Amino acid sequence: MTTETLSPDNRVRLARAYLLRVVEPPAPALTRFIAEVGPVTAAERVRAGNVPPDVADETAARSHLDRAEQDLVEAAAVSARLLIPEDPDWPAWPFAALDMAAARGAKWAGEPLALWVRGAGDLAQLHERAVSVIGARAATGYGERVAAEFGHDLSANGFTVVSGAAYGIDGAAHRGALAAQGPTVAVLGCGIAIPYPAGHASLLTSIASSGAVISEYPPGTPPARHRFLVRNRLIAALGAGSVVIEAGRRSGARNTAATAAALGRVLMAVPGPISSAMSVGCHELLRNGEAHLVASAQEVIESVGRIGTDLVPEPPPERRETDGLDDKTLRVFEALHRSAARSPEQIAEVAGVPTERVRAVLPALELRGLAVHGDSGWLSVIQKGRGDA
């Protein structure tokens, strides 16, 4: 069957599958070329080598790799599909920022040509309310606990958790979301059929069952460091904001954080122990004013949620039994002892308050349940802090 006999939708899908195979993303020149001539014509001209020099630079090394149909079959074998910009569930709004950044000259930016998607979730719908959770692979127990709590609470409040399925913070955030029975999205830096890391094979299956596992790399593409850095732009773009939970001074998480900030996304960071090397990156983001501090999922939601509705509830005011006492009355109360009774004269000496005033105040303290008069003097009724009289 020739491409001429295919339906327009299939021709576009095959063309984009082919173009994904022949470039290493991001491919700004090819993206511009597709916008000018359309994906089908772009694919035909790339095959023929009839393209502008900048497009040739991106495609010449692989233009002979025409495996579009095979890639679609291999993806289907793992229940994955090719999502293209022409599909109704393409997340156009989140990716618009990538195009805008590319137009400003950011070489790392650019919308993906298409996405391999494993999972039945509607990607556009999943990202109507989404937060990217990022952090160190070599996470501490503290970091993984926080990531799991954030993932769970964000999911329980109707947010999709986006991360990279790596060990450490990523995996903990995904598991937290799954524990809340909410959707989560994993963005891979390798082919959609490759369980990477291998220890997360079952986790990726669980993610696909309720959300989606996505990649812009064709089936069979092996993981590589540069691919993880490239996929970070998708993680940053797909969330309304990104929260960093543990990151070294130089790390992939810092790379994603910088990308999120460049895309105009809300950037947040969780503080950690000042002695932890895994929190150095978070502390630098906070100190430099690049991110704002969050200590709970509710604070994350307030930062990225709907204005006036997704607000952190005010904590109930902390009240003490001594609230409302004037300065001299408070000093009299502080001069009381819980086990050693004192006379008004002794209390006056300790408090530095005239004895007459002490004698007037003590009955009032007794009425409030703060003092009691015994045979040998006055006692405090409540326990005071360490160091009190």
Side-chain angles (χ1 to χ4, degrees):
M1 181 180 294
T2 64
T3 56
E4 288 75 12
T5 62
L6 295 171
S7 69
D9 176 76
N10 283 336
R11 291 181 68 195
V12 171
R13 203 168 301 277
L14 281 169
R16 287 195 177 272
Y18 164 73
L19 294 170
L20 275 180
R21 172 65 67 177
V22 301
V23 293
E24 191 73 28
L30 179 58
T31 301
R32 291 192 299 270
F33 189 57
I34 292 171
E36 292 171 5
V37 304
V40 174
T41 299
E44 292 171 350
R45 291 183 59 177
V46 168
R47 288 190 189 94
N50 180 24
V51 293
D54 55 352
V55 178
D57 285 343
E58 294 178 352
T59 61
R62 299 177 184 167
S63 61
H64 62 286
L65 298 176
D66 195 348
R67 296 183 49 190
E69 291 187 14
Q70 184 178 344
D71 285 343
L72 289 168
V73 170
E74 289 184 16
V78 294
S79 301
R81 67 191 190 282
L82 183 65
L83 183 68
I84 59 178
E86 292 77 9
D87 288 328
D89 55 338
W90 179 258
W93 177 249
F95 289 152
L98 289 172
D99 274 347
M100 293 174 63
R104 294 194 300 267
K107 295 181 179 179
W108 50 264
E111 183 177 10
L113 303 181
L115 288 173
W116 298 98
V117 180
R118 180 184 170 201
D122 182 314
L123 208 57
Q125 190 174 51
L126 285 172
H127 291 94
E128 286 183 1
R129 282 164 68 86
V131 173
S132 302
V133 180
I134 55 180
R137 286 176 171 81
T140 66
Y142 160 81
E144 291 194 0
R145 183 175 68 255
V146 170
E149 290 175 357
F150 275 39
H152 179 279
D153 294 348
L154 287 167
S155 184
N157 281 277
F159 281 78
T160 299
V161 174
V162 182
S163 199
Y167 291 129
I169 298 301
D170 290 13
H174 287 306
R175 290 190 182 92
L178 291 170
Q181 299 183 332
T184 180
V185 173
V187 186
L188 304 184
C190 58
I192 196 71
I194 297 176
Y196 186 86
H200 279 177
S202 61
L203 175 62
L204 289 167
T205 299
S206 298
I207 292 170
S209 68
S210 63
V213 177
I214 67 176
S215 175
E216 61 184 326
Y217 296 101
T221 303
R225 175 174 171 75
H226 70 276
R227 291 180 179 134
F228 289 107
L229 293 175
V230 169
R231 69 88 194 259
N232 286 349
R233 82 191 196 285
L234 302 184
I235 295 176
L238 288 170
S242 293
V243 55
V244 188
I245 304 173
E246 293 196 324
R249 181 171 279 110
R250 295 184 61 185
S251 63
R254 284 296 303 270
N255 170 267
T256 309
T259 300
L263 294 177
R265 301 297 195 252
V266 179
L267 183 59
M268 299 153 281
V270 176
I274 60 173
S275 58
S276 173
M278 286 298 99
S279 289
V280 170
C282 293
H283 296 161
E284 287 188 348
L285 290 172
L286 295 169
R287 186 173 65 252
N288 297 335
E290 299 172 66
H292 66 263
L293 187 151
V294 290
S296 69
Q298 193 61 50
E299 292 178 359
V300 174
I301 293 170
E302 183 178 83
S303 299
V304 303
R306 299 185 180 97
I307 296 174
T309 57
D310 292 316
L311 300 177
V312 177
E314 288 290 334
E318 182 180 341
R319 297 194 60 81
R320 297 180 179 178
E321 295 89 339
T322 55
D323 285 353
L325 298 182
D326 62 58
D327 177 62
K328 286 187 170 58
T329 304
L330 182 60
R331 283 159 55 187
V332 170
F333 168 73
E334 293 293 340
L336 296 173
H337 200 281
R338 190 171 165 78
S339 57
R342 288 174 173 168
S343 67
E345 292 76 15
Q346 290 173 315
I347 295 170
E349 183 178 331
V350 172
V353 176
T355 303
E356 294 75 14
R357 180 66 182 271
V358 171
R359 292 184 185 279
V361 162
L362 287 171
L365 290 175
E366 187 173 28
L367 287 173
R368 289 191 57 161
L370 298 177
V372 62
H373 184 233
D375 293 337
S376 55
W378 290 86
L379 294 164
S380 171
V381 172
I382 65 172
Q383 181 69 48
K384 290 179 283 185
R386 182 175 299 174
D388 292 338

